[in-house]
Every structure is written in structure tokens, then in C-alpha cells.
Amino acid sequence: MKANFVGGVVAVAVILALAAYGSLFTVYQTKQALVVRFGEPVRVITEPGLHVKIPLADTVITVDNRILDLENAAQEVFASDQRRLVIDAFARYRITNVLRFYQTVTNIDGANSRLSSLLNAALRRVLGGTRLDTRNAPISRDSMKGV
């Protein structure tokens, strides 16, 4: 009888420990978190530390709080004078509103995809209207070396 009681107490203690472990999560200083319950956002956590969630019902989505970068592959752009340019561009961005980020692009890959198309369009728009007339370019000391 005593062995069954001790075994039951151990089983209850293990279940309580697993429930406590499943209900606690940590937000680091370089992260922000969004708690989602069954697919619906519940709360945004921007403060680092130990936080509580409902086990099995809540999931925690963490997003980097630091400056993120997007490197665009080299692409060919034609200037307005029909010169071909090979452009290698990059962008830096930061996620300031985790809830809006989750609702619009869901993850970093979605954000990079959307920002990449915006960056390509902006590069083509700006460089497509630019003339590259090198005949009237100012002469610098560096360009005179070796002459």
C-alpha cells in the first residue's frame, strides 16, 4: 500500500514538473516575443526575462530585436542612356512592431522576400532614370595617378 502511495506521489510530482517546465519560457535581451494561442496573438513581450504561458495552448514566436540585414544578389540594370550596370545592393532593417510583423509576413523569410522585391523595384526606378555621362565627370587626384 505504501509503495503505491509513493509511486503515485512521484507520478504527480513528475506531471507537475513537466507542466511547470512547459509553462515557463525565457525572452533574451536580443529578442522580442509574441505569445500566440491557437493561432491568435495574445500578447507581445519586449522585456527580457522569465515569462509564463499556458502549456499546450500557447506557442511563443521569438523575433530578433537587433538590426537585420538583407543582401540582394547582383543584378543587371539599364540606365536611361542604355548603359548596363551590375548592381550589388543590401538593406538593413529592424522589426519594431512584432504583432504587425506576424500579421503581415509571419517570419523573417517572408519579410526578406517582400523587402527584396521592394529593393529591386527601387533600384530599377532610381538607376533607370539616371544618365551616366562620364565625359564631363570632374577630375580627381586619384584618376590622375599613372598619367
Side-chain angles (χ1 to χ4, degrees), residues 59 63 73-74 87 107 111 120 129 131 134 143 147:
T59 55
V63 177
I87 303 297
N107 57 21
N120 288 340
R131 283 186 47 94
T134 57
S143 65
V147 174

Side-chain angles (χ1 to χ4, degrees), residues 10-82:
V10 169
V12 169
V14 167
I15 291 172
L16 288 176
L18 288 175
Y21 180 74
S23 65
L24 298 174
F25 66 96
T26 304
V27 177
Y28 297 102
Q29 290 178 343
T30 59
K31 302 281 185 183
Q32 306 175 63
L34 177 68
V35 179
V36 178
R37 183 172 299 145
F38 301 119
E40 294 296 319
V42 177
R43 66 177 188 222
V44 175
I45 300 170
T46 57
E47 295 296 320
L50 189 62
H51 299 276
V52 180
K53 68 177 179 115
I54 299 173
L56 302 176
D58 292 347
T59 55
V60 178
I61 299 169
T62 58
V63 177
D64 210 339
N65 201 20
R66 298 174 287 189
I67 295 175
L68 303 171
D69 61 338
L70 168 67
E71 294 199 24
N72 219 2
Q75 61 180 336
E76 289 185 8
V77 177
F78 288 96
S80 64
D81 55 358
Q82 297 305 314

Side-chain angles (χ1 to χ4, degrees), residues 70 72 75-79 85 87 89-91 113-130:
L70 168 67
N72 219 2
Q75 61 180 336
E76 289 185 8
V77 177
F78 288 96
L85 305 171
I87 303 297
F90 70 94
S113 158
R114 193 175 269 187
L115 286 173
S116 178
S117 64
L118 291 172
L119 181 62
N120 288 340
L123 280 172
R124 291 184 187 283
R125 186 185 72 241
V126 170
L127 294 175
T130 304

